[in-house]
Amino acid sequence: MLSLKGNQGNLYKDVKLFFEVESTCPAVGYESYDGGHGRIETRTVRATSAIDWLQELHPHWVGLKSIVAVTAKRESNDKTTEETRYFISSMDASDPKRLGQVVRAHWGIENKLHWVLDYAFDEDSQRARLGNGAANMAVIRHIALNLLKSEKTAKVGVKNKRLNAGWDENYLLKVVLGRAIN
Protein backbone atom coordinates (compact mmCIF):
# COMPACT_ATOMS: atom_id res chain seq x y z
CA MET A 1 0.00 0.00 0.00
CA LEU A 2 1.56 3.29 -1.08
CA SER A 3 0.05 6.71 -0.53
CA LEU A 4 -0.19 8.90 -3.61
CA LYS A 5 0.60 12.58 -3.38
CA GLY A 6 0.45 15.49 -5.79
CA ASN A 7 4.20 15.41 -6.42
CA GLN A 8 3.84 12.04 -8.17
CA GLY A 9 2.55 13.73 -11.29
CA ASN A 10 0.32 11.85 -13.66
CA LEU A 11 -0.10 8.73 -11.50
CA TYR A 12 -1.74 10.78 -8.75
CA LYS A 13 -3.80 12.77 -11.27
CA ASP A 14 -4.99 9.63 -13.09
CA VAL A 15 -6.09 7.86 -9.90
CA LYS A 16 -7.77 10.98 -8.50
CA LEU A 17 -9.65 11.60 -11.75
CA PHE A 18 -10.80 7.96 -11.82
CA PHE A 19 -12.39 8.29 -8.39
CA GLU A 20 -13.86 11.73 -9.14
CA VAL A 21 -15.67 10.71 -12.34
CA GLU A 22 -19.06 9.36 -11.37
CA SER A 23 -19.26 6.81 -14.20
CA THR A 24 -15.99 5.09 -13.22
CA CYS A 25 -16.03 5.57 -9.46
CA PRO A 26 -16.58 2.29 -7.60
CA ALA A 27 -19.29 2.06 -4.98
CA VAL A 28 -18.46 2.44 -1.32
CA GLY A 29 -16.90 -0.80 -0.21
CA TYR A 30 -16.60 -0.17 3.50
CA GLU A 31 -17.48 2.56 5.95
CA SER A 32 -16.28 2.94 9.53
CA TYR A 33 -17.03 5.37 12.31
CA ASP A 34 -14.82 6.66 15.06
CA GLY A 35 -15.49 9.14 17.82
CA GLY A 36 -13.40 10.79 20.45
CA HIS A 37 -11.93 14.09 21.55
CA GLY A 38 -15.22 15.83 20.69
CA ARG A 39 -15.32 14.75 17.08
CA ILE A 40 -16.92 12.10 14.90
CA GLU A 41 -14.99 10.69 11.97
CA THR A 42 -16.48 8.67 9.14
CA ARG A 43 -14.03 6.85 6.85
CA THR A 44 -15.25 5.60 3.51
CA VAL A 45 -13.17 3.13 1.50
CA ARG A 46 -13.64 2.70 -2.24
CA ALA A 47 -11.39 0.34 -4.17
CA THR A 48 -11.12 -1.41 -7.50
CA SER A 49 -8.93 -4.00 -9.17
CA ALA A 50 -10.18 -3.01 -12.64
CA ILE A 51 -7.02 -1.06 -13.40
CA ASP A 52 -5.78 -2.38 -16.75
CA TRP A 53 -5.96 1.19 -18.04
CA LEU A 54 -3.69 2.42 -15.22
CA GLN A 55 -1.18 -0.40 -15.69
CA GLU A 56 -1.04 0.50 -19.38
CA LEU A 57 -0.38 4.18 -18.59
CA HIS A 58 2.15 3.38 -15.83
CA PRO A 59 3.81 0.04 -16.72
CA HIS A 60 6.75 0.60 -14.34
CA TRP A 61 4.47 -0.12 -11.35
CA VAL A 62 4.96 -3.89 -11.46
CA GLY A 63 2.68 -5.88 -9.15
CA LEU A 64 0.02 -3.18 -8.96
CA LYS A 65 -3.34 -4.85 -8.30
CA SER A 66 -5.67 -2.16 -7.03
CA ILE A 67 -6.26 1.50 -6.35
CA VAL A 68 -7.95 2.79 -3.23
CA ALA A 69 -9.61 6.05 -2.17
CA VAL A 70 -10.22 6.74 1.51
CA THR A 71 -12.41 9.70 2.38
CA ALA A 72 -12.30 10.94 5.96
CA LYS A 73 -15.15 13.18 7.03
CA ARG A 74 -14.58 14.85 10.41
CA GLU A 75 -17.36 16.55 12.33
CA SER A 76 -16.34 18.65 15.31
CA ASN A 77 -18.56 21.25 16.96
CA ASP A 78 -20.15 23.10 14.05
CA LYS A 79 -17.32 22.40 11.62
CA THR A 80 -17.16 19.59 9.05
CA THR A 81 -14.05 18.81 7.00
CA GLU A 82 -13.53 16.17 4.36
CA GLU A 83 -10.29 14.84 2.88
CA THR A 84 -9.74 12.09 0.31
CA ARG A 85 -6.42 10.25 0.10
CA TYR A 86 -5.48 7.94 -2.75
CA PHE A 87 -3.38 4.78 -2.69
CA ILE A 88 -1.96 2.15 -5.01
CA SER A 89 -1.71 -1.39 -3.73
CA SER A 90 -0.39 -4.84 -4.49
CA MET A 91 -3.46 -6.20 -2.66
CA ASP A 92 -6.65 -7.27 -4.40
CA ALA A 93 -9.64 -4.93 -3.94
CA SER A 94 -12.04 -7.73 -2.90
CA ASP A 95 -11.80 -6.91 0.83
CA PRO A 96 -12.29 -3.13 1.26
CA LYS A 97 -12.46 -3.47 5.06
CA ARG A 98 -8.97 -4.99 5.10
CA LEU A 99 -7.70 -2.30 2.72
CA GLY A 100 -9.04 0.33 5.12
CA GLN A 101 -7.23 -1.33 8.03
CA VAL A 102 -3.96 -1.38 6.07
CA VAL A 103 -4.36 2.30 5.19
CA ARG A 104 -4.92 3.18 8.86
CA ALA A 105 -1.85 1.18 9.89
CA HIS A 106 0.22 2.81 7.14
CA TRP A 107 -0.94 6.26 8.24
CA GLY A 108 -0.12 5.49 11.88
CA ILE A 109 3.41 4.39 11.01
CA GLU A 110 3.97 7.51 8.90
CA ASN A 111 2.70 9.76 11.71
CA LYS A 112 4.91 8.04 14.31
CA LEU A 113 8.00 8.33 12.09
CA HIS A 114 7.32 12.00 11.46
CA TRP A 115 6.84 12.61 15.19
CA VAL A 116 10.16 10.93 16.05
CA LEU A 117 12.02 12.85 13.35
CA ASP A 118 10.53 16.14 14.47
CA TYR A 119 11.03 15.49 18.19
CA ALA A 120 14.56 14.04 18.04
CA PHE A 121 15.91 16.03 15.09
CA ASP A 122 13.63 19.11 15.03
CA GLU A 123 12.92 18.25 11.39
CA ASP A 124 10.08 20.77 11.02
CA SER A 125 12.53 23.62 11.67
CA GLN A 126 15.00 22.53 9.00
CA ARG A 127 15.40 25.15 6.28
CA ALA A 128 17.50 23.43 3.62
CA ARG A 129 15.79 24.48 0.39
CA LEU A 130 18.37 24.74 -2.39
CA GLY A 131 18.93 21.95 -4.89
CA ASN A 132 18.84 18.52 -3.32
CA GLY A 133 19.73 19.81 0.15
CA ALA A 134 16.38 19.00 1.79
CA ALA A 135 16.27 15.47 0.35
CA ASN A 136 19.92 14.82 1.26
CA MET A 137 19.40 15.99 4.84
CA ALA A 138 16.26 13.83 5.16
CA VAL A 139 18.29 10.78 4.11
CA ILE A 140 21.00 11.62 6.64
CA ARG A 141 18.39 12.04 9.42
CA HIS A 142 16.82 8.67 8.51
CA ILE A 143 20.24 6.98 8.60
CA ALA A 144 20.98 8.59 11.96
CA LEU A 145 17.58 7.53 13.30
CA ASN A 146 18.17 3.91 12.21
CA LEU A 147 21.65 3.89 13.80
CA LEU A 148 20.32 5.34 17.05
CA LYS A 149 17.47 2.83 17.19
CA SER A 150 19.92 -0.02 16.57
CA GLU A 151 22.04 0.96 19.59
CA LYS A 152 20.45 -1.03 22.43
CA THR A 153 22.78 -0.54 25.42
CA ALA A 154 21.51 2.92 26.39
CA LYS A 155 17.98 2.62 27.77
CA VAL A 156 16.94 6.16 26.76
CA GLY A 157 14.98 7.66 23.89
CA VAL A 158 16.27 8.61 20.45
CA LYS A 159 16.63 12.29 21.35
CA ASN A 160 18.80 11.49 24.38
CA LYS A 161 20.88 9.00 22.38
CA ARG A 162 21.47 11.72 19.77
CA LEU A 163 22.54 14.18 22.46
CA ASN A 164 24.81 11.57 24.11
CA ALA A 165 26.45 10.87 20.75
CA GLY A 166 27.14 14.60 20.42
CA TRP A 167 28.73 14.79 23.86
CA ASP A 168 30.60 11.48 24.03
CA GLU A 169 32.84 10.53 21.12
CA ASN A 170 33.14 6.90 22.32
CA TYR A 171 29.34 6.59 22.39
CA LEU A 172 29.15 8.18 18.92
CA LEU A 173 31.57 5.57 17.58
CA LYS A 174 29.52 2.85 19.29
CA VAL A 175 26.37 4.12 17.52
CA VAL A 176 28.03 4.48 14.11
CA LEU A 177 30.15 1.31 14.17
CA GLY A 178 27.81 -0.86 16.23
CA ARG A 179 30.48 -1.74 18.78
CA ALA A 180 32.54 -0.08 21.51
CA ILE A 181 36.02 1.21 20.66
CA ASN A 182 38.84 0.99 23.21
Side-chain angles (χ1 to χ4, degrees), residues 111-128:
N111 283 342
K112 286 177 188 168
L113 174 63
H114 176 76
W115 183 87
V116 168
L117 287 169
D118 189 38
Y119 179 75
F121 294 93
D122 198 19
E123 189 174 57
D124 286 348
S125 297
Q126 302 304 312
R127 298 291 171 238

Side-chain angles (χ1 to χ4, degrees), residues 5 7 17-18 28 30 49 78 82 100 104 133 136 174 177:
K5 297 188 174 137
N7 64 356
L17 182 63
F18 175 84
V28 171
Y30 179 70
S49 289
D78 295 331
E82 190 171 291
R104 287 248 333 157
N136 291 341
K174 186 177 191 178
L177 300 175

Side-chain angles (χ1 to χ4, degrees), residues 121 143-151 158 161-162 165 175:
F121 294 93
I143 291 169
L145 177 62
N146 289 333
L147 289 170
L148 291 167
K149 282 184 169 185
S150 295
E151 202 292 295
V158 172
K161 286 181 182 181
R162 184 183 66 82
V175 168

Side-chain angles (χ1 to χ4, degrees), residues 7 20 32-33 61 63 74-75 80 84 91 99 102 109 117 119-120 136 149 151 162 167:
N7 64 356
E20 288 177 343
S32 66
Y33 306 94
W61 287 99
R74 291 176 193 86
E75 300 172 54
T80 300
T84 302
M91 298 171 64
L99 291 171
V102 171
I109 291 166
L117 287 169
Y119 179 75
N136 291 341
K149 282 184 169 185
E151 202 292 295
R162 184 183 66 82
W167 293 325

